[in-house]
Amino acid sequence: MRSRLRKKPDDWFAPRNYPHFDRPVSDRSVAEGIVASFTKSPEQYRFLPLISFKRWARRWRTDEKSGRTRESWKKRPLAYCSNRDAHVLAYVGWELSAAYEEALKRAGLDNVVVGYRLGRSNVTTARDAFADVQRLGTCTTIALDLKHFFDTIRHRVLKRCWEDVLGSGLPPHHYAAFRAITRFALVDRGACLKRLGLPPRTQSRKLPRPLCSPDAFRAAVRGRKTASGGGGLVEVNQNAFGIPQGTPMSAIAANVAMFRFDCAVAAEAARVGGTYRRYSDDILLVCPPAAANSLLDFLRDALIRHCEGLTLNDDKTSRVEFPGGRLPANVKHMQYLGFLFNGERAVLRASTISRFYGRMRRAVKSAQHDLTNDKFQGSPKGGRPVLQRRKLMHSFSHLGRDSLLRTYAKVAGKVFQRRAIMRQLRRHLERLNSLTR
């Protein structure tokens, strides 16, 4: 067992050092021992509850009639498992990923399913999709979105596709992992910290590791509900659907659950002379105009047959007709994975640029607020505090390694071999200077 784990040391192991109900496990040999014990006797292994929280993401939507951009917020429920459980699920996920990659190659889906796979990105996926449009010339593109993807995956569908990928029934340790991500237990992070006497908004790096002793966990977290409000924070998923987002196995499990659907729709798209691609819950069909309606109907039927419980978000369905060549300027462009495409060139969506400038504006305001509250040190030569521009330049200009321009935008420009993307952000330095004056 140990020699097998060390064969590809970087494929599943990563140090785990976050606050949970157990101690951090950052040593590889300790993690190997945990995994070896689990695979030997999975029925004796006990998974700890996941700690859940909600992440709010800001969104901008442009109304097609008025052209106005409105701000909205999207709530995404996330959960993370204990340090020990993370190593166990990461190892099983690594095994399942290897089998899934082989299954995709056998089915001819290597370039069809691209989300959550090593070496794949939304930039190269969008480039390949736009190349399909240019190759077909006159065609129809239909972009679709699955509603509440992770929350509505049926457990029996996942188990059936899991067996298809492995080519056999689930081994005992795979079945234990399957049970862990389907009949999972959750503990709300805010309620847990409050019950343990910890500030609910404490930064993670300041929390104790573990969060509490085993006795305190049994009494305050897992214990039964009492009249005084003690215990009873653990909520077990009793539904026959839904897997948590945030575990080391969530991404591969979501992909596996769509295996039969992907096979069916990709074959039908190829039969009518089109293509099918899926990046997580984002689906794209590119096909001849005459086959668009029948292919869309086939996809809806396949979703019912192979992925019962999953539904399309009709509000996000986008259909664009390409008559051949470049689209007129007044025609709605194709949107896919954060890019706009008019048949000739691809550019970043306006919302992506708006988010970048919004983060820049908020970062400058935060720096100015800290400056007025004397949180910065004075200048090297003494005197009054000064606004620290180096960090802002590093994050929001072409000089910073982590900025949007040096990472996402520059890479996208190279992939599409166009300067249009970088020209969209050519005034970034001018705007940053105006905000910091």
Side-chain angles (χ1 to χ4, degrees):
M1 178 63 189
R2 287 182 178 270
S3 61
R4 184 181 180 185
L5 288 178
R6 290 172 179 168
K7 186 176 181 180
K8 293 183 178 180
D10 298 326
D11 282 350
W12 67 273
F13 174 77
R16 311 285 177 177
N17 187 31
Y18 43 80
H20 212 284
F21 300 123
D22 65 341
R23 296 182 181 278
V25 183
S26 300
D27 185 81
R28 180 177 178 81
S29 60
V30 176
E32 286 182 345
I34 294 170
V35 172
S37 176
F38 167 74
T39 54
K40 183 179 179 181
S41 303
E43 68 282 353
Q44 297 181 5
Y45 189 89
R46 296 294 178 263
F47 288 90
L48 287 169
L50 307 175
I51 295 180
S52 64
F53 64 98
K54 294 178 178 61
R55 176 175 294 170
W56 292 87
R58 184 177 297 186
R59 295 286 186 268
W60 283 267
R61 294 192 180 279
T62 303
D63 187 83
E64 295 183 2
K65 296 181 179 179
S66 64
R68 294 181 177 179
T69 300
R70 295 181 298 177
E71 180 186 29
S72 63
W73 290 86
K74 180 179 180 181
K75 179 175 66 175
R76 174 174 296 178
L78 298 174
Y80 58 100
C81 52
S82 69
N83 297 276
R84 290 171 57 89
D85 296 347
H87 288 298
V88 166
L89 294 181
Y91 178 73
V92 178
W94 170 60
E95 287 190 331
L96 182 58
S97 294
Y100 181 65
E101 291 294 328
E102 292 298 324
L104 289 180
K105 292 178 181 178
R106 290 194 303 268
L109 302 179
D110 194 42
N111 294 320
V112 169
V113 184
V114 288
Y116 308 131
R117 295 176 60 200
L118 188 63
R120 308 284 177 169
S121 72
N122 67 311
V123 179
T124 55
T125 301
R127 177 201 61 191
D128 295 342
F130 299 155
D132 291 339
V133 175
Q134 293 177 322
R135 176 176 55 82
L136 289 175
T138 300
C139 63
T140 299
T141 66
I142 306 175
L144 307 159
D145 182 81
L146 294 173
K147 187 185 296 185
H148 306 305
F149 184 34
F150 285 83
D151 298 335
T152 54
I153 293 176
R154 290 278 174 178
H155 299 163
R156 59 187 174 191
V157 172
L158 172 59
K159 186 173 183 292
R160 186 170 60 222
C161 291
W162 199 322
E163 293 172 342
D164 290 346
V165 167
L166 295 180
S168 62
L170 270 59
H173 65 294
H174 277 244
Y175 183 73
F178 166 78
R179 291 280 293 176
I181 63 171
T182 54
R183 193 174 173 79
F184 53 90
L186 293 177
V187 173
D188 181 74
R189 185 177 187 270
C192 176
L193 295 180
K194 184 177 181 180
R195 180 69 60 79
L196 296 175
L198 300 171
R201 296 186 179 275
T202 300
Q203 295 181 2
S204 295
R205 63 176 178 269
K206 296 181 180 180
L207 290 174
R209 293 168 172 77
L211 291 173
C212 61
S213 66
D215 291 339
F217 170 75
R218 286 190 290 268
V221 180
R222 190 184 285 279
R224 295 181 179 180
K225 293 183 179 180
T226 62
S228 60
L233 294 181
V234 179
E235 300 289 341
V236 179
N237 181 37
Q238 303 289 353
N239 301 317
F241 54 85
I243 62 175
Q245 295 187 61
T247 75
M249 277 203 68
S250 298
I252 180 60
N255 267 346
V256 167
M258 300 290 290
F259 182 68
R260 291 191 178 186
F261 172 84
D262 292 332
C263 290
V265 179
E268 179 64 14
R271 188 188 70 80
V272 300
T275 59
Y276 158 78
R277 296 180 189 277
R278 182 177 64 82
Y279 192 101
S280 184
D281 56 352
D282 290 314
I283 296 173
L284 179 68
L285 300 174
V286 180
C287 62
N293 290 333
S294 62
L295 182 57
L296 182 57
D297 291 339
F298 181 91
L299 184 145
R300 293 183 184 275
D301 292 340
L303 203 60
I304 297 173
R305 292 197 311 271
H306 303 297
C307 298
E308 54 181 305
L310 292 182
T311 57
L312 295 175
N313 191 342
D314 293 329
D315 294 338
K316 293 186 178 181
T317 299
S318 176
R319 182 167 178 162
V320 179
E321 304 288 344
F322 283 85
R326 182 172 179 174
L327 291 173
N330 59 344
V331 175
K332 181 180 67 173
H333 293 178
M334 171 187 176
Q335 292 190 37
Y336 188 55
L337 299 181
F339 294 93
L340 295 175
F341 184 63
N342 65 356
E344 181 181 355
R345 68 172 189 170
V347 295
L348 295 175
R349 290 172 55 186
S351 59
T352 302
I353 300 174
S354 297
R355 284 196 296 270
F356 171 69
Y357 284 129
R359 288 195 300 270
M360 176 192 293
R361 184 173 58 255
R362 290 190 297 273
V364 172
K365 285 185 177 180
S366 177
Q368 292 172 340
H369 178 268
D370 291 342
L371 179 64
T372 58
N373 285 276
D374 295 332
K375 289 188 178 181
F376 283 118
Q377 297 178 354
S379 63
K381 296 182 179 180
R384 65 181 181 85
V386 295
L387 184 67
Q388 302 296 313
R389 291 173 51 88
R390 178 175 296 180
K391 184 177 180 180
L392 295 172
M393 294 288 286
H394 181 78
S395 300
F396 299 103
S397 79
H398 62 286
L399 303 174
R401 293 182 179 180
D402 299 330
S403 69
L404 178 73
L405 284 88
R406 286 289 298 272
T407 55
Y408 189 68
K410 189 173 183 180
V411 170
K414 288 183 178 179
V415 169
F416 288 109
Q417 298 181 350
R418 294 278 183 176
R419 295 179 57 86
I421 292 177
M422 293 301 292
R423 284 201 297 268
Q424 287 181 281
L425 296 162
R426 64 184 180 275
R427 297 188 181 277
H428 71 281
L429 200 56
E430 178 182 332
R431 184 168 298 193
L432 180 59
N433 287 333
S434 66
L435 290 172
T436 54
R437 286 171 185 165

